Amino acid sequence: MVLAAGLGQRMRPITDTLPKPLVTIAGRTMLDHMLDRLADAGIEEAVVNVHHLAGKVEAHLAGRARPRITISDERAELLETGGGVKKALPLLGSAPFFHTNSDALWRETGRPALAALAQAWDPQRMDILLLLADRETSLGFDGAGDFFLGDDGRLARRGKAQSAPWIYAGVAILKPALFADTPDGPFSLNLLFDRAIAAGRLYGERLEGRWLHVGTPQAIAPAEAALAAQPVDA
């Protein structure tokens, strides 16, 4: 599932007339960057949710053949990261699935991230597996970080620590059953992350590359420069 319903308020004034997933970075929309990665990883079907300027997203996706796209329509109510998935569950099936933000963007310097995430997935130990980016090497990110990563791959929240070394990079593998006891209407995936932490079943896989945070119009040019740069060690 690809989340493409958000308002993109920090990207204004661009997003007053263009949904953030359709903002172009290095010749491709952010949404197409993500869908291209999914297609390269062998994903044949993707559900994309829409809300803000939904018709423009739908029109853009009409031209894609890989992966095959199904729209989850949230025009009536923006359901946030968790509620949007819950609404789309009938379209996603009963098996674990990739969950991605449409604006998740990175430059790989090692293993393809989605393939690495799929290879690391172990449903016997995990309820959720997150792709993690190194806070210090990420471009355009000025936050304190999200998680600590244990030697066994389990994740813990930053909590009251001044900083944490790992950022959630906007890509995860989730089990549909996690949504069985969740609120109706809007809610955040953080609810499921916290439940998985409490059960010792939230894990992380490190991105081999550089994560690019494109939250504002001013972040577009640096992200394009980073994508165009010659390969170097991350």
Side-chain angles (χ1 to χ4, degrees):
M1 178 159 188
V2 181
L3 300 185
L7 301 177
Q9 296 188 58
R10 295 181 63 226
M11 190 62 81
R12 286 177 173 169
I14 295 173
T15 48
D16 288 339
T17 57
L18 185 72
K20 185 180 179 184
L22 299 189
V23 171
T24 298
I25 307 291
R28 299 285 285 166
T29 69
M30 298 184 78
L31 180 55
D32 283 317
H33 277 291
M34 176 52 67
L35 291 170
D36 289 347
R37 290 197 186 278
L38 289 168
D40 290 345
I43 302 300
E44 297 180 354
E45 300 182 33
V47 176
V48 179
N49 69 346
V50 295
H51 173 82
H52 178 56
L53 300 174
K56 291 189 176 183
V57 178
E58 289 179 313
H60 180 80
L61 290 174
R64 280 203 72 107
R66 297 180 58 248
R68 296 187 298 275
I69 304 296
T70 302
I71 297 294
S72 180
D73 194 332
E74 293 182 25
R75 283 178 173 86
E77 183 181 21
L78 185 59
L79 294 171
E80 298 184 30
T81 53
V85 177
K86 186 171 183 177
K87 176 181 171 62
L89 284 179
L91 304 173
L92 291 166
S94 59
F97 58 91
F98 277 112
H99 172 282
T100 77
N101 295 337
S102 59
D103 60 355
L105 189 67
W106 63 87
R107 181 169 173 273
E108 292 174 350
T109 58
R111 299 174 302 160
L114 298 185
L117 207 65
Q119 186 174 6
W121 172 250
D122 180 357
Q124 299 304 314
R125 295 185 296 130
M126 305 170 182
D127 285 338
I128 304 174
L129 178 63
L130 306 184
L131 183 65
L132 303 175
D134 186 320
R135 178 178 60 85
E136 291 189 354
T137 63
S138 294
L139 179 71
F141 182 81
D142 58 4
D146 300 318
F147 296 105
F148 293 98
L149 178 64
D151 292 340
D152 60 357
R154 285 189 175 94
L155 294 178
R157 291 276 193 190
R158 173 170 55 87
K160 295 182 179 180
Q162 185 174 0
S163 65
W166 299 104
I167 307 163
Y168 172 49
V171 181
I173 296 177
L174 304 172
K175 291 180 176 178
L178 297 172
F179 294 85
D181 182 24
T182 54
D184 294 326
F187 70 92
S188 170
L189 272 183
N190 281 306
L191 171 65
L192 300 186
F193 293 175
D194 288 338
R195 289 179 178 179
I197 288 173
R201 296 180 63 85
L202 182 71
Y203 283 74
E205 180 71 13
R206 292 174 289 184
L207 168 69
E208 292 186 6
R210 190 180 192 192
W211 191 59
L212 312 176
H213 183 238
V214 187
T216 66
Q218 294 73 29
I220 293 174
E224 291 182 325
L227 288 174
Q230 292 299 315
V232 294
D233 292 337

